[in-house]
Amino acid sequence: MAWTQVFPDIEHLSLAAAERFIALAGEAIAARGRFTAALAGGSTPRVLYSLLASGTFAGRVDWAHVEVYWGDERCVPPEDSRSNYRLAHETLLARVPVPVDQVHRMRGEAEPAAAAAEYERLLRKRLGDSGDDSPPASGFDLVLLGMGDDGHTASLFPHTPALDEHTRWAIPNWSAETQTWRVTLTTPALNAARQTLFLVSGSTKAERLWQVLEGPRDPHQLPAQLIQPARGAVTWFVDQGAASRLTPASLGEPT
Ligand code: 6PG
């Protein structure tokens, strides 16, 4: 089940995303005693993270019961300006009381394959490992994702081997565009999520977003199409610039 909501701009989109984060956190903590959230990288989530750390929102989350993960990371040190951890730390995590042992960053400073294997071990410990090739027994309560101009999500880039990984939960992947190694969650780890929220902003995304949501299924060309949680719901929060090619078929109520 997926549905798309269009907002006038990134600010309205981020306000709605902050409310959704707070609602999902409250539900998860009430039901299971914790809220596991995998954060997105890139630039789009910056406004959301800053809002969540602001006076209006920060007091509405029981941060002591929040566990923070990442959907992907650039293989750079945590203080590097390209680091997804640094983005979240500067805008959110340094400003809210999430216990440090509940912030699970991917070690971008480590050798990519080792960092991915280490993260996989962590996920199997924290999300429930059935001991076989099956996906996490209990996926993330929320996965935040962006979408690149080329239709990638996390660091699942078009026509890369990572797209066909269905056993491991975290792997290294090469980003030809940025000429950097990445660590990324794989389709099974992402699709085990209860709730998935894409945040997409800007007219440069319009053509690709239309292809992903309304075009033919071609996940090797459009990896964002791989995100189809078995049990969970996918919501797209997009601004008018990104939504300019969409037709009513993909807007509004859940399909
Ligand atoms: C990353 C992200 C990546 C991002 C998209 C969109 O590490 O860059 O995980 O998947 O979400 O590329 O990036 P923007 O939000 O900057 O457009």
Side-chain angles (χ1 to χ4, degrees):
M1 181 176 78
W3 67 300
T4 304
Q5 196 164 347
V6 182
F7 298 90
D9 50 40
I10 183 73
E11 286 74 25
H12 287 82
L13 182 158
S14 304
L15 282 164
E19 289 292 350
R20 190 153 172 78
F21 183 100
I22 290 165
L24 293 173
E27 290 166 17
I29 293 166
R32 292 177 293 281
R34 69 173 184 171
F35 176 55
T36 56
L39 302 184
S43 55
T44 303
R46 177 178 288 273
V47 177
L48 166 61
Y49 298 160
S50 299
L51 281 173
L52 286 172
S54 69
T56 314
F57 294 97
R60 296 170 54 196
V61 177
D62 179 3
W63 296 104
H65 293 93
V66 175
E67 294 178 14
V68 178
Y69 301 81
W70 274 262
D72 72 328
E73 185 55 280
R74 290 86 178 272
C75 292
V76 295
E79 63 276 7
D80 188 296
S81 61
R82 297 167 291 175
S83 165
N84 288 338
Y85 165 79
R86 175 175 163 174
L87 165 70
H89 183 261
E90 285 179 341
T91 54
L92 173 59
L93 300 175
R95 301 164 60 196
V96 294
V98 180
V100 289
D101 63 352
Q102 291 171 206
V103 177
H104 302 293
R105 72 177 182 90
M106 297 169 165
R107 286 195 319 119
E109 69 274 27
E111 189 275 326
E118 176 186 272
Y119 212 70
E120 169 121 9
R121 287 192 296 273
L122 169 78
L123 292 181
R124 289 186 181 273
K125 181 179 164 195
R126 299 298 305 161
L127 296 184
D129 178 6
S130 309
D132 51 24
D133 288 349
S134 55
S138 60
F140 295 106
D141 293 308
L142 172 63
V143 168
L144 289 172
L145 290 171
M147 188 196 76
D149 292 354
D150 61 356
H152 81 259
T153 193
S155 286
L156 300 173
F157 300 108
H159 305 296
T160 57
L163 306 186
D164 296 316
E165 177 59 53
H166 298 298
T167 302
R168 288 181 292 172
W169 298 358
I171 59 172
N173 201 20
W174 173 251
S175 167
E177 182 188 352
T178 59
Q179 291 291 295
T180 56
W181 277 101
R182 304 286 187 91
V183 174
T184 187
L185 298 189
T186 59
T187 306
L190 292 169
N191 279 337
R194 285 183 172 81
Q195 294 288 335
T196 302
L197 178 57
F198 277 93
L199 309 179
V200 185
S201 168
S203 55
T204 63
K205 308 281 177 81
E207 176 72 18
R208 203 68 71 190
L209 185 63
W210 172 72
Q211 290 174 351
V212 167
L213 294 180
E214 299 190 20
R217 181 159 174 76
D218 185 4
H220 279 85
Q221 182 63 41
L222 303 165
Q225 289 183 337
L226 289 169
I227 305 306
Q228 292 186 313
R231 300 184 301 258
V234 180
T235 306
W236 293 76
F237 280 4
V238 302
D239 68 7
Q240 281 174 347
S244 57
R245 286 291 314 272
L246 298 183
T247 68
S250 59
L251 300 180
E253 291 310 305
T255 51

